[in-house]
Amino acid sequence: MAAEGGGGKEMNEIKTQFTTREGVYKLLAHSEYSRPNRVPFNSQGSNPVKVSFVNVNDQSGNGDRICFNVGRELYFYIYKGVRKAADLSKPIDKRIYKGTQPTCHDFNHLTATAESVSLLVGFSAGQVQLIDPIKKETSKLFNEERLIDKSRVTCVKWVPGSESLFLVSHASGSMYLYNVEHTCGTTAPHYQLLKQGENYSVHTCKSKSTRNPLLKWTVGEGALNEFAFSPDGKFLACVSQDGFLRVFNFDAVELHGTMKSYFGGLLCVCWSPDGKYIVAGGEDDLVTVWSFLDCRVIARGHGHKSWVSVVAFDHYTTSVEESDPMEFSGSDEDFQDQMIHFGRDRANSTQSRLSKRNSTDSRPVSVTYRFGSVGQDTQLCLWDLTEDILFPHLPLSRTRTHTNVMNATSPPAGATVVANTPSNTTNGNNSGASTPGLNSLSTTLPRSNSLPHSAGGGGGTTATANSTNKAGTGGLTSGIMDSAIATGVSKFATLSLHDRKERPHEKDHKRNHSMGHISSKSSDKLNLLTKSKADPAKTLGTLLCPRMEDVPLLEPLICKKIAHERLTVLIFLEDCLVTACQEGFICTWARPGKVGLLSSQNQASSPSGTVV
């Protein structure tokens, strides 16, 4: 489990730094953004705090701008990040709304300049406002009379590559496509069916002259909680309160694939930088990784103790090596240099290398996707998705049909995890073949600071992670277990053996608003709790929603309590990562090596009360 060792006091202590294999991430107290008075916001009954960034490319070299909502208020500041302290006394723009609250917002990155930015703001009563916080003007209000939709706006985003089209989702389960140039009309729109599919329909607006909305999407049952466009802008991933992830071809208006949560609604979704994987989180306390190409769940991550509110990929730490995999056995400095090199080349190299690689490529590939999640449990989790999960068939393509026989072809250096996948040819037995070099490699690899030390049989995070066969015993030979425990956790041991007998400390796992003890035994009880057209009893155990033991279970690299109130924001930037909590504090965490001299001086003199 991801819980830290030690007593309860240590568990409840709020962290101001954490360590990964890249180095130490530090909270910059002087870079905290909030309402100017810095008073914690009483968040009862208010909408989640959200943050949007834009770069206006001004000549000063400080072109980053930040927008955030707190209660009825909306703020727009120059964002100084890791470079300088935040000056909260001088917002560029501040708005206070009556009768409605901002719920979400999005900048148009295409049209942003130092003199003008286009910011869309969605509201709790259903309206959408287009404002320019630099010119301090409000240009348009959409759905003003609430004739299109009366429910809360859950997500608003500009259509990628467009200066005028934007998409808005509502708690009603509908999504609308708008054009900023068109009006909304003075009467309720009439619709004409354009396309219909399984649990979704798309209508066009029927009128003599072109008016908003251009399209109305009705998706699933209950609220449509969030949507995200793929990096190329061609596909749209939506997550709904009915627990379904639905991925559409946006232009063709066709359903590409679906996935069902283990339990409850899905609240958040994001794409990997190359568009090959989607991560969703929600009320099952899990993060679920879904393959866009294979349309199936490939892993789940278990670290949060309550609902997961945001998931996001870290484009700057995601790395690919096409020939020889990276050796992580060098010094920390060497490793940090390598990772910084990856971060610098991201735009040109990582994304292009990711897109060049295809799933049938049989060459040794070392790929690590880094993503993060924050939740209502006030915890931040970081996760690594590595090739032992993504391509279990590459190093183990021949071992599947044998039991305890090692494949002659050794896998790439570093891929020391034994991943057992269900196979018809194993006759119910899992292939427990270990990898040569496990002892020599693992001892030199750095251990993640947050994983519990494997002392004795209770070590859940061993280097032998598997996805156990339902028909089989799930038995790995004790010798392999011993050697794996003895050699510690390698870079790839972000997995845990999903066997309840091996994990007595699982009982201590606290659950606030959670789904209870995750196991196939409890799944039957869980099924009784949800009644809808898509009966969970029918989806559990299928490709839509595999059982827990049928897919690898990721362990978080780190899992830290970083706030007093539930977390609502996680954004990865080049020099830092940004989090925010419901009290209205937006925190900047400097990446390893990114804390300058100014930062250390400021931190020494800043009052401790500003640290969230």
Side-chain angles (χ1 to χ4, degrees):
M1 281 311 303
E4 293 294 303
K9 186 182 174 186
E10 190 181 329
M11 284 285 294
N12 292 322
E13 190 184 315
I14 288 182
K15 307 297 179 193
T16 55
Q17 66 179 55
F18 56 84
T19 307
T20 66
R21 61 168 188 275
E22 305 96 68
V24 181
Y25 289 75
K26 292 183 179 174
L27 176 67
L28 303 181
H30 66 276
S31 291
E32 179 185 276
Y33 287 77
S34 67
R35 298 188 298 169
N37 59 13
R38 293 190 183 270
V39 174
F41 175 66
N42 180 4
S43 58
Q44 293 304 102
S46 70
N47 289 288
V49 172
K50 299 282 185 182
V51 172
S52 298
F53 284 100
V54 68
N55 190 295
V56 298
N57 299 314
D58 68 352
Q59 301 306 310
S60 69
N62 190 13
D64 288 328
R65 303 289 180 266
I66 184 173
C67 170
F68 57 90
N69 61 290
V70 182
R72 296 186 297 122
E73 301 161 23
L74 188 76
Y75 292 93
F76 182 69
Y77 281 99
I78 293 175
Y79 180 70
K80 298 174 183 175
V82 299
R83 296 181 300 278
K84 287 184 180 175
D87 183 358
L88 298 184
S89 63
K90 296 176 182 172
I92 301 173
D93 196 12
K94 172 191 174 181
R95 293 166 189 244
I96 301 176
Y97 296 93
K98 291 178 182 174
T100 185
Q101 291 187 1
T103 57
C104 49
H105 29 86
D106 190 41
F107 286 107
N108 192 323
H109 297 267
L110 276 183
T111 60
T113 66
E115 293 77 40
S116 172
V117 291
S118 295
L119 175 67
L120 288 167
V121 185
F123 290 91
S124 55
Q127 304 94 333
V128 177
Q129 194 178 38
L130 174 64
I131 63 177
D132 187 332
I134 294 180
K135 290 182 176 173
K136 295 185 170 54
E137 61 186 35
T138 303
S139 48
K140 283 192 176 172
L141 190 57
F142 302 91
N143 191 28
E144 183 174 4
E145 303 297 325
R146 304 170 69 216
L147 297 168
I148 296 168
D149 201 303
K150 290 181 168 59
S151 66
R152 175 175 51 90
V153 175
T154 54
C155 188
V156 59
K157 282 191 169 66
W158 292 95
V159 174
S162 174
E163 295 185 4
S164 56
L165 296 176
F166 64 92
L167 196 60
V168 182
S169 64
H170 286 260
S172 61
S174 296
M175 259 188 320
Y176 303 91
L177 180 66
Y178 288 84
N179 187 327
V180 292
E181 310 297 335
H182 299 156
T183 60
C184 289
T186 53
T187 57
H190 294 281
Y191 295 107
Q192 190 171 337
L193 185 66
L194 175 68
K195 192 163 283 189
Q196 203 165 11
E198 190 182 348
N199 268 334
Y200 83 97
S201 60
V202 183
H203 292 79
T204 55
C205 192
K206 194 173 157 188
S207 65
K208 289 177 184 174
S209 58
T210 310
R211 61 166 281 185
N212 283 321
L214 304 177
L215 288 179
K216 174 186 180 180
W217 297 61
T218 307
V219 181
E221 296 172 33
L224 201 164
N225 290 321
E226 192 176 46
F227 63 83
F229 284 99
S230 60
D232 62 8
K234 293 178 182 174
F235 290 87
L236 182 72
C238 306
V239 288
S240 301
Q241 198 55 40
D242 61 7
F244 277 89
L245 160 74
R246 295 176 178 89
V247 182
F248 296 96
N249 181 318
F250 185 62
D251 292 330
V253 199
E254 286 175 350
L255 187 64
H256 169 78
T258 57
M259 182 270 285
K260 173 74 171 63
S261 70
Y262 192 77
F263 175 75
L266 286 176
L267 304 175
C268 50
V269 64
C270 65
W271 292 78
S272 63
D274 57 359
K276 294 196 172 171
Y277 302 98
I278 293 172
V279 172
E283 295 174 0
D284 54 9
D285 305 357
L286 301 169
V287 292
T288 303
V289 186
W290 191 79
S291 166
F292 175 80
L293 297 170
D294 300 335
C295 289
R296 66 182 182 87
V297 175
I298 57 166
R300 288 190 179 106
H302 189 196
H304 285 286
K305 301 181 181 71
S306 186
W307 296 358
V308 180
S309 46
V310 185
V311 285
F313 273 87
D314 183 353
H315 292 206
Y316 301 91
T317 312
T318 293
S319 60
V320 178
E321 277 285 298
E322 286 198 2
S323 48
D324 299 326
M326 269 174 68
E327 278 292 348
F328 293 130
S329 52
S331 70
D332 287 347
E333 288 79 9
D334 295 344
F335 181 75
Q336 212 163 317
D337 289 344
Q338 283 176 303
M339 293 316 290
I340 289 166
H341 167 71
F342 277 131
R344 225 177 272 132
D345 293 350
R346 180 193 66 88
N348 309 325
S349 75
T350 303
Q351 201 149 350
S352 59
R353 282 185 288 175
L354 281 168
S355 56
K356 271 189 272 182
R357 178 179 52 73
N358 64 56
S359 58
T360 56
D361 199 342
S362 59
R363 287 175 303 169
V365 168
S366 173
V367 56
T368 303
Y369 295 89
R370 166 70 56 81
F371 66 95
S373 57
V374 294
Q376 297 199 3
D377 56 359
T378 70
Q379 293 197 120
L380 162 72
C381 292
L382 294 182
W383 315 80
D384 267 0
L385 192 58
T386 47
E387 72 262 27
D388 49 301
I389 298 297
L390 304 175
F391 320 113
H393 57 286
L394 287 184
L396 298 169
S397 53
R398 295 178 210 166
T399 58
R400 284 184 188 177
T401 51
H402 304 292
T403 303
N404 297 330
V405 177
M406 186 49 221
N407 182 1
T409 316
S410 67
T416 55
V417 170
V418 181
N420 293 328
T421 50
S423 162
N424 296 330
T425 52
T426 54
N427 298 324
N429 292 318
N430 283 319
S431 150
S434 67
T435 359
L438 182 70
N439 297 328
S440 59
L441 261 170
S442 300
T443 48
T444 57
L445 295 173
R447 170 195 281 276
S448 166
N449 72 313
S450 69
L451 293 171
H453 289 265
S454 308
T461 51
T462 69
T464 44
N466 72 349
S467 158
T468 40
N469 189 338
K470 281 198 302 252
T473 59
L476 287 166
T477 60
S478 59
I480 293 170
M481 286 294 289
D482 293 344
S483 71
I485 290 168
T487 52
V489 182
S490 75
K491 166 178 108 72
F492 293 111
T494 50
L495 293 170
S496 61
L497 193 65
H498 194 76
D499 187 338
R500 292 294 155 205
K501 291 173 190 171
E502 304 267 341
R503 303 181 58 170
H505 60 285
E506 187 88 40
K507 290 172 189 169
D508 304 330
H509 181 54
K510 258 193 324 192
R511 295 250 157 215
N512 304 338
H513 318 278
S514 68
M515 59 184 174
H517 204 52
I518 309 177
S519 72
S520 53
K521 289 174 187 171
S522 67
S523 62
D524 295 327
K525 295 173 195 168
L526 295 176
N527 291 336
L528 301 173
L529 299 177
T530 327
K531 295 283 183 192
S532 69
K533 286 182 186 173
D535 186 0
K538 290 174 185 168
T539 57
L540 187 66
T542 66
L543 270 179
L544 272 179
C545 179
R547 292 181 183 276
M548 289 302 289
E549 62 267 31
D550 288 346
V551 291
L553 192 65
L554 301 173
E555 292 274 355
L557 295 175
I558 65 112
C559 192
K560 303 287 182 188
K561 178 180 172 69
I562 60 167
H564 289 292
E565 266 288 343
R566 62 185 188 272
L567 293 162
T568 56
V569 170
L570 174 62
I571 298 171
F572 291 97
L573 301 176
E574 189 167 6
D575 294 335
C576 57
L577 59 97
V578 176
T579 60
C581 72
Q582 196 52 30
E583 285 186 317
F585 295 111
I586 290 91
C587 298
T588 299
W589 301 77
R591 289 184 186 270
K594 297 293 184 184
V595 186
L597 183 65
L598 172 77
S599 311
S600 52
Q601 288 171 345
N602 277 11
Q603 244 169 337
S605 62
S606 71
S608 58
T610 61
V611 177
V612 181

